[in-house]
Amino acid sequence: MTSSVASSLILAAQQATIYFGIPILIAGVTGNFLNLVVFLSLRTFRQSSCAFYLTAMSFLNIGQLISGLLTRIIINGYQNDWINSSAFYCKFRSYSLIVSALISLTCMCLATIDQYLATCPRTRWQRWSHIKVAHRVTIISVLIWILYGIPFFIYNNLIYSPITNRMICVSSMTTFYYYYAYSFVWVFGGMLPIFVNALFGLLAYCNVQQMHRRTVPFIRRELDKQLTVIVLIQVVYTFVAIIPYIIVTIIILDSMSGNDDVWQAKIQLATSITTCLYYLYFSVSFETKLPG
């Protein structure tokens, strides 16, 4: 009885990965591609530092969806192990997914902060909202996260899972999983970007609401309004997409010593669903909010 329940839950996890993951993948790649077309085709956005951050984020999101969600659908949804046949690819995939996710989240935080600075009534703060500053800050952020991801390349490997009877790409070190859960999921990839986006998004919104009291060109005012709407929408997406994933990761930490097959199958189902939700962050589309 226990075995059949566990098998049913594992099957449900596979189906969730397929039927939740594929629509998110298609919508995400299409939406981010349209984002790139709009941001790169309009001169107004090419000269905007906030738009530069969003352009970089959209580019990274496409890579994240293809290398992360697509391969997850193939491996966990269709039970195709050809991707998990190489230890090097396991390490490289884990490394690239962590690094690109953190760079994407950082770009979103920088876009939100930049929009706050651009709409700030203090002129000396507005000077930091500049395309050259955006280029330099982005390069520094990329270098930081490239170095941060090195341990994930070193410690992740292919390990046999008795629950799924397949090789999976994880770390065999319990200590490193704690590092992954608290450092990446909880702090840098979770609560910190949510807090930064929420704080500066609201501050930017307050600044925009007061712009009619200041002498600001009409085109600049409308651009700032549109970009502020974009970052506020992304704040909501970030919260909805990341919080469930954080909760499940913390639950896994508390149950790592458990050997019950049904409980592990339940965890696998919850992980499949929340991981698909997590990829919603990378599938957000802005083009419907931007001028044609």
Side-chain angles (χ1 to χ4, degrees), residues 94-252:
S94 301
Y95 172 81
S96 61
L97 291 180
I98 293 292
V99 172
S100 61
L102 289 172
I103 296 174
S104 175
L105 287 164
T106 301
C107 285
M108 188 60 234
C109 291
L110 292 173
T112 310
I113 296 172
D114 182 90
Q115 199 53 28
Y116 163 70
L117 295 173
T119 57
C120 186
R122 299 181 182 180
T123 306
R124 62 192 182 98
W125 286 24
Q126 292 180 15
R127 294 172 183 170
W128 288 98
S129 176
H130 194 278
I131 191 68
K132 291 184 179 179
V133 175
H135 292 164
R136 294 168 185 169
V137 172
T138 301
I139 291 173
I140 293 173
S141 301
V142 169
L143 293 176
I144 290 173
W145 294 130
I146 285 176
L147 295 175
Y148 170 85
I150 291 176
F152 294 90
F153 184 87
I154 296 174
Y155 292 109
N156 279 339
N157 213 329
L158 293 176
I159 297 175
Y160 176 77
S161 172
I163 303 297
T164 59
N165 295 318
R166 294 185 299 113
M167 301 295 289
I168 58 175
C169 183
V170 294
S171 173
S172 59
M173 297 176 58
T174 304
T175 304
F176 184 75
Y177 187 83
Y178 277 90
Y179 171 77
Y180 160 79
Y182 287 112
S183 175
F184 171 69
V185 178
W186 180 254
V187 181
F188 298 122
M191 300 309 299
L192 184 59
I194 290 175
F195 173 77
V196 171
N197 285 329
L199 175 62
F200 286 95
L202 291 174
L203 290 174
Y205 176 78
C206 293
N207 287 342
V208 168
Q209 293 299 104
Q210 298 174 1
M211 287 186 71
H212 67 278
R213 303 176 184 176
R214 309 198 304 268
T215 305
V216 179
F218 176 78
I219 296 178
R220 172 63 185 275
R221 185 189 310 165
E222 291 302 307
L223 176 63
D224 284 333
K225 286 182 179 179
Q226 291 166 351
L227 291 174
T228 302
V229 168
I230 287 175
V231 297
L232 287 175
I233 291 174
Q234 185 65 14
V235 168
V236 177
Y237 266 89
T238 304
F239 184 85
V240 172
I242 293 179
I243 289 297
Y245 187 74
I246 293 176
I247 294 173
V248 171
T249 301
I250 299 302
I251 292 175
I252 292 175

Side-chain angles (χ1 to χ4, degrees), residues 22-85:
I22 291 179
I24 292 174
L25 174 66
I26 295 173
V29 172
T30 304
N32 280 290
F33 176 77
L34 293 175
N35 291 342
L36 291 175
V37 170
V38 172
F39 284 130
L40 295 175
S41 61
L42 298 178
R43 182 180 179 183
T44 303
F45 291 114
R46 291 200 302 270
Q47 296 175 342
S48 168
S49 51
C50 180
F52 171 80
Y53 292 126
L54 296 177
T55 302
M57 188 185 74
S58 296
F59 179 79
L60 287 164
N61 288 353
I62 292 176
Q64 187 78 356
L65 288 167
I66 293 175
S67 62
L69 183 56
L70 177 59
T71 54
R72 187 176 186 86
I73 293 171
I74 295 173
I75 296 172
N76 296 340
Y78 292 103
Q79 301 293 290
N80 192 324
D81 286 340
W82 67 269
I83 293 179
N84 275 345
S85 61

